[in-house]
Amino acid sequence: MTQKQISKYNSKIPPTWCKGCGNFGIFTALKAAFAKLGFSPDDVCLTYDVGCSSNMADFLNTYGFHSLHGRTISTAIGLHLAHHQFPVIAIGGDGGIYGEGVEHLIEAARGNFDITAIVHNNFLYSLTTGQKSPTAQKGSKTKSTPFGTLEVPFEGLKTAIIHDPSFVARGYALEAAHLTNLIVKGVKTKGFSLIDVLQPCVTFNKKQTPDWFKKRVYKLKKDGYPKKEALKILSQDPEKLAIGILYRSDRKAYHEHLPQLKDKPLIKQSIEKIDIGKLIEEFI
Ligand code: SF4
């Protein structure tokens, strides 16, 4: 993939992330995935949370909606149901998607809505300068936990897998080519796709550095595993971080159950024959 092929997805604003931030790798992988999928900048819509990850709203030249904190997935589901033939990708961090927005993650997996969620997982709230997030390891010392985090980390991938969505994977921000393929496969999959991306925050996370990840990250060999095995891979030694496709299911996507959407998306349907008069009368 050449620089020229992916530069059309750059907005006029250059990224403002810190030098060496893992967000650059995810940004590159996303653009390369769009090029591989044959998307023009107006063929895809991204929704954004609040955080360093979601500052990407300013840097990427596609349709986009910068939502509230924790609301990137719910916004993506709304957009998707209005136009289910249009690809929608929800961007957010571990704080927004596994913390404030965790209920929406569970709903997306339960309903198997045909969207892709990409979690920039750096174990911290970095935009607010380094407080522990839901994925912070037990004992980790952060600005908000100077004596060590007391809780065990939230397991986003396991939570998704037990609710049986179509696609669950983990990537690593500094393995951009590998991540590109995960994004391509996730977007192509019908149903909910969750891609958790391990991401160094070089400014505030002095433990999970690129060197730390290098010793722990390894690639899975298969294109998905049975549920029990996928959960086992995620329950192994925490010093081993598997990346690749963990789980796939062939469950129908939410909109495929709805006869109203069989012929065309909601936004392409005529509202002329819809009479909401009776409904309004109930409120008068
Ligand atoms: Fe990246 Fe961390 Fe800087 Fe945010 S604070 S831009 S996550 S390195």
Side-chain angles (χ1 to χ4, degrees), residues 41 87 98 124 131 135 137-138 141 156 238 251 263 275:
Y98 296 151
L124 288 175
Q131 297 77 15
T135 55
Q137 287 187 332
K138 189 168 186 285
K141 291 183 180 173
R251 196 153 67 96
D263 295 332
D275 179 9

Side-chain angles (χ1 to χ4, degrees), residues 16-18 20-23 52 122 126-127 199-204:
T16 52
W17 295 306
C18 310
C21 174
N23 281 317
C52 291
N122 61 19
S126 294
L127 192 70
Q199 182 229 318
C201 166
V202 292
T203 302
F204 296 111

Side-chain angles (χ1 to χ4, degrees), residues 52-71:
C52 291
S53 62
S54 296
N55 286 348
M56 198 195 289
D58 291 334
F59 318 139
L60 201 63
N61 176 32
T62 64
Y63 286 119
F65 192 103
H66 209 155
S67 73
L68 302 174
H69 205 14
R71 301 295 176 262

Side-chain angles (χ1 to χ4, degrees), residues 3-282:
Q3 196 55 37
K4 200 176 165 194
Q5 283 171 303
I6 63 173
S7 60
K8 66 181 170 188
Y9 307 105
N10 289 336
S11 77
K12 289 181 182 155
I13 304 170
T16 52
W17 295 306
C18 310
K19 194 175 171 201
C21 174
N23 281 317
F24 284 102
I26 303 172
F27 185 52
T28 302
L30 250 181
K31 293 184 290 180
F34 293 162
K36 277 195 170 188
L37 288 160
F39 287 170
S40 298
D42 55 3
D43 282 341
V44 59
C45 184
L46 279 80
T47 62
Y48 300 91
D49 211 279
V50 170
C52 291
S53 62
S54 296
N55 286 348
M56 198 195 289
D58 291 334
F59 318 139
L60 201 63
N61 176 32
T62 64
Y63 286 119
F65 192 103
H66 209 155
S67 73
L68 302 174
H69 205 14
R71 301 295 176 262
T72 183
I73 287 183
S74 50
T75 307
I77 290 174
L79 285 165
H80 158 69
L81 287 179
H83 194 343
H84 67 271
Q85 290 167 347
F86 200 79
V88 182
I89 298 173
I91 297 290
D94 39 312
I97 291 183
Y98 296 151
E100 290 83 353
V102 69
E103 169 62 9
H104 302 301
L105 170 74
I106 295 168
E107 286 307 306
R110 288 178 59 223
N112 206 26
F113 293 93
D114 187 17
I115 62 166
T116 302
I118 299 178
V119 185
H120 300 220
N121 183 1
N122 61 19
F123 314 96
L124 288 175
Y125 286 93
S126 294
L127 192 70
T128 49
T129 70
Q131 297 77 15
K132 64 139 183 157
S133 83
T135 55
Q137 287 187 332
K138 189 168 186 285
S140 59
K141 291 183 180 173
T142 72
K143 196 173 266 188
S144 57
T145 54
F147 304 109
T149 298
L150 298 175
E151 302 98 321
V152 294
F154 176 74
E155 306 257 19
L157 290 165
K158 283 187 188 170
T159 303
I161 288 170
I162 61 174
H163 292 99
D164 209 23
S166 290
F167 182 96
V168 180
R170 181 159 63 188
Y172 175 43
L174 302 190
E175 287 276 359
H178 180 263
L179 179 57
T180 298
N181 287 329
L182 292 181
I183 297 172
V184 169
K185 287 179 181 173
V187 172
K188 277 186 175 173
T189 299
K190 201 164 262 188
F192 182 56
S193 299
L194 173 68
I195 306 173
D196 176 281
V197 187
L198 301 165
Q199 182 229 318
C201 166
V202 292
T203 302
F204 296 111
N205 192 333
K206 298 298 181 191
K207 184 178 175 203
Q208 279 119 340
T209 62
D211 276 348
W212 185 92
F213 282 116
K214 201 173 173 185
K215 288 182 195 134
R216 291 161 177 84
V217 165
Y218 75 97
K219 288 178 187 153
L220 292 168
K221 292 200 171 70
K222 293 187 194 163
D223 238 19
Y225 296 80
K227 191 177 277 186
K228 266 191 184 171
E229 212 175 319
L231 293 171
K232 200 172 159 194
I233 290 168
L234 292 168
S235 303
Q236 65 188 353
D237 183 349
E239 297 295 295
K240 286 184 185 166
L241 297 171
I243 58 170
I245 301 173
L246 287 151
Y247 180 70
R248 281 178 183 273
S249 88
D250 54 8
R251 196 153 67 96
K252 268 188 177 183
Y254 188 90
H255 69 275
E256 292 178 306
H257 296 281
L258 302 176
Q260 302 92 322
L261 301 182
K262 204 168 171 216
D263 295 332
K264 47 186 154 180
L266 274 184
I267 61 152
K268 293 193 175 169
Q269 294 184 29
S270 165
I271 58 168
E272 277 166 23
K273 289 185 185 160
I274 297 174
D275 179 9
I276 59 167
K278 279 190 184 159
L279 186 67
I280 299 284
E281 276 168 22
E282 282 184 32

